[in-house]
Amino acid sequence: FCDRVLKSGGEKLSESEVEENLDKIVQLFSYLTDKDLFAEIYRNQLAKRLLNQRSASDDAEKVMIAKLKMQCGTHFTSKMEGMLGDLAVGSEQRSEFEARMRQFDSNLDFSVQVLTTGFWPTYKSPEVSLAPEMSRCMEVFKEWHDNKHQKRKLTWMFSLGNASVRANFGKKYYDLQVTTLQAVALNAFNGGKKMSFEELAERLNLEDSILKPLMHSLSCGKYKVIKKSPGGNKISKTDTFVANEKFSCNMRKIRISMASLDASHNTKRVEEDRSIAIEAAIVRIMKARKTLQHQQLIAEVLSQLAFFKPNPRVIKRRIEALIDREYLERSTENTNVYNYLA
């Protein structure tokens, strides 16, 4: 619901209605026990809105983050604020790089958004084989970026990029709004080439788990710009593909959506973060108290964790892990009592 309120093309609301809805959401949020899980899902959806330029208002995004910050503190929203900060800095760097790109004879209008790894969710990043023109632009950017920021390392995230592709079908042309992976796949069929699924996988250097949803979006979705044979709504390894010469649409500008390659939230990541938070709380408490009985330690840990309420069994496992790593020890007189090891 929060995503629909803040996304362009979602709920049609005035500024005051957006503010009112955000207040209600934060009010409801205050009753959640798994606040960290909400933060993980919210951050993933915020990332999608920002990277796909689907955010209805930057101000509304900042207001929502400020409300969450008031409710839970800086630690809870620091990554979200970092994401907005990346985009603000990125717009300045983009205009600098565009001036650099004008010196090169390129048919592509190419721009790059640099993201800080720690702030953004983790994404699948397939090493796709790009068209030579794209690779050349990337080399120019890497050279420019390395000169400007010598201590930074760039990793290209092709699954997040987007492109506008001019496609000619007979006498008609269309501007297709697609992802970078879709653009690379479309380019492979340029000039009426016919390719099997296996040939395409080899040419693009993509795994089946990525190529199947990619080709499904181009040949089985609303806009069938690629013709698949045999027909049907499923992609199999025996299929062959070719550009759909008979493709026709009333609109000149078409957005071809593709299923996300990443889950709405990373459960494993949430669990890892929780383990770290539980262990940090245990060490803090034991450092201050030196010796504590098992049930007292469990009760104090639960009272300190603000964003989620773990099962006592999970806390017990973290205590065992800390004993193994020699942060704590069981009392020799009473196994139900723990001592802190400095």
Side-chain angles (χ1 to χ4, degrees), residues 10 40 44 64 70 152 167 181 185 189 193 286 308 312 330:
E40 178 72 11
N44 281 346
M64 181 60 182
M70 277 177 68
R152 288 188 191 171
L181 295 177
F189 295 103
K193 289 191 189 80
M286 291 302 295
F308 64 100
R330 288 184 194 280

Side-chain angles (χ1 to χ4, degrees), residues 35 37 42 56 89 107 116 139 153 214 227 268 307:
K35 291 184 173 68
L37 189 58
Y42 184 86
V89 173
N107 298 326
T116 308
E139 283 163 20
K153 180 178 176 285
L214 171 56
K227 191 164 77 178
K268 194 178 173 190
F307 303 145

Side-chain angles (χ1 to χ4, degrees), residues 195-203 206-213 215 235-241:
M195 297 180 93
S196 70
F197 182 89
E198 301 288 359
E199 286 168 340
L200 194 59
E202 193 177 328
R203 172 161 177 175
L206 288 177
E207 295 171 11
D208 294 358
S209 60
I210 290 167
L211 190 55
K212 281 184 177 178
M215 293 315 296
I235 303 291
S236 71
K237 290 184 179 184
T238 53
D239 290 343
T240 55
F241 305 91

Side-chain angles (χ1 to χ4, degrees), residues 76-95:
F76 190 79
T77 57
S78 59
K79 289 181 179 178
M80 298 175 202
E81 289 172 310
M83 287 157 70
L84 291 175
D86 268 357
L87 296 193
V89 173
S91 59
E92 294 166 25
Q93 290 199 352
R94 261 205 308 278
S95 41

Side-chain angles (χ1 to χ4, degrees), residues 217-252:
S217 68
L218 298 172
S219 60
C220 305
K222 186 178 177 184
Y223 305 106
K224 297 177 176 64
V225 289
I226 299 291
K227 191 164 77 178
K228 176 178 96 74
S229 55
N233 277 334
K234 280 195 171 177
I235 303 291
S236 71
K237 290 184 179 184
T238 53
D239 290 343
T240 55
F241 305 91
V242 67
N244 183 5
E245 292 174 358
K246 294 176 183 171
F247 176 75
S248 176
C249 181
N250 295 331
M251 296 183 294
R252 279 274 179 255

